[in-house]
Amino acid sequence: MKKLIFITPLLFIIIFIVFIGGYRFTALSAAKSLSFLSKNAELMEQYETDSSVISLFRNNEEQVYQTVLSEKSGVFFRGSVSTNISYSSDKVQTVGGISASTENDAVTLLSVISYDEDVAYIEAGVEPNVERKAISKGERISFLFPFNEQLDFLNPTAFNKEGKKLYYYGYPKNTIVFKIEDYKWHKIDENE
């Protein structure tokens, strides 16, 4: 009985320290514990990897999409990396993206929505891991890769049904000034 009286407060202290460190029992609660995540963020989807979970959120009030990587550590999860992407009125938009390497995992996520009825599919990846996904107007698709790569190095490209390139993701071609607001989907010029 004396052991139980000693162990119970010690257990509460350990759990308290673990929770202060950002560790939670679920990936979602770990993601929500990050101070970077907006209070009114709404979960859109989760993606599981070998030892992590990626949560994609949207916040209509702040007009931002947020992506959070929660790493598994024993029986706990800890939110470790997050990214923000502002809403836009572009015809093709990235609504989630993250690339990270952790002690046990490497991952890249690209989530895209198209409002261009001419876009039939999107390709992304690095040889030999290039994927093609069909997409319809107003639909969101996601690419999840088991490696860490900068999103524009995945060469994301949107095509029409005839295979003509319509959009590419990244910075404008031939630019020497890199502004974050220019890191997006760009319509491909007819002459390219």
Side-chain angles (χ1 to χ4, degrees):
M1 186 68 163
K2 285 184 180 182
K3 260 189 175 179
L4 187 59
I5 292 172
F6 175 73
I7 292 175
T8 303
L10 184 61
L11 188 60
F12 280 120
I13 290 170
I14 291 170
I15 290 174
F16 180 72
I17 290 170
V18 166
F19 272 72
I20 285 179
Y23 291 91
R24 300 293 185 270
F25 289 110
T26 68
L28 183 58
S29 60
K32 287 184 174 183
S33 74
L34 281 180
S35 61
F36 300 111
L37 187 66
S38 303
K39 290 180 180 160
N40 298 324
E42 172 189 330
L43 180 66
M44 294 171 60
E45 194 163 352
Q46 286 189 305
Y47 309 87
E48 292 189 30
T49 67
D50 289 339
S51 64
S52 303
V53 175
I54 300 171
S55 303
L56 180 59
F57 296 91
R58 79 170 148 237
N59 183 322
N60 292 330
E61 282 182 30
E62 295 179 23
Q63 297 194 333
V64 67
Y65 296 100
Q66 297 178 291
T67 309
V68 179
L69 175 76
S70 299
E71 296 178 71
K72 189 164 179 78
S73 178
V75 297
F76 296 105
F77 286 89
R78 184 171 190 267
S80 59
V81 180
S82 67
T83 62
N84 293 342
I85 298 174
S86 297
Y87 284 17
S88 80
S89 58
D90 296 337
K91 291 276 196 173
V92 181
Q93 304 170 23
T94 296
V95 297
I98 199 164
S99 56
S101 289
T102 66
E103 189 175 311
N104 301 313
D105 211 357
V107 64
T108 302
L109 171 78
L110 174 66
S111 190
V112 180
I113 190 166
S114 173
Y115 294 105
D116 186 331
E117 59 191 28
D118 292 332
V119 174
Y121 64 93
I122 295 177
E123 286 185 354
V126 178
E127 290 292 343
N129 298 314
V130 176
E131 293 182 15
R132 175 187 287 186
K133 294 195 176 187
I135 190 168
S136 301
K137 184 178 178 181
E139 181 182 14
R140 183 176 55 83
I141 60 169
S142 297
F143 297 89
L144 182 63
F145 297 102
F147 52 81
N148 176 3
E149 187 62 75
Q150 187 173 309
L151 297 181
D152 57 329
F153 289 178
L154 296 173
N155 300 311
T157 308
F159 297 82
N160 67 10
K161 62 184 174 189
E162 287 81 31
K164 179 182 175 192
K165 294 180 180 181
L166 300 178
Y167 297 88
Y168 73 92
Y169 184 70
Y171 288 104
K173 301 280 187 207
N174 304 318
T175 189
I176 57 170
V177 179
F178 297 95
K179 297 185 283 187
I180 193 65
E181 60 267 15
D182 291 336
Y183 190 63
K184 61 182 186 171
W185 288 88
H186 298 278
K187 191 151 182 70
I188 294 175
D189 187 349
E190 294 286 328
N191 300 325
E192 288 186 48

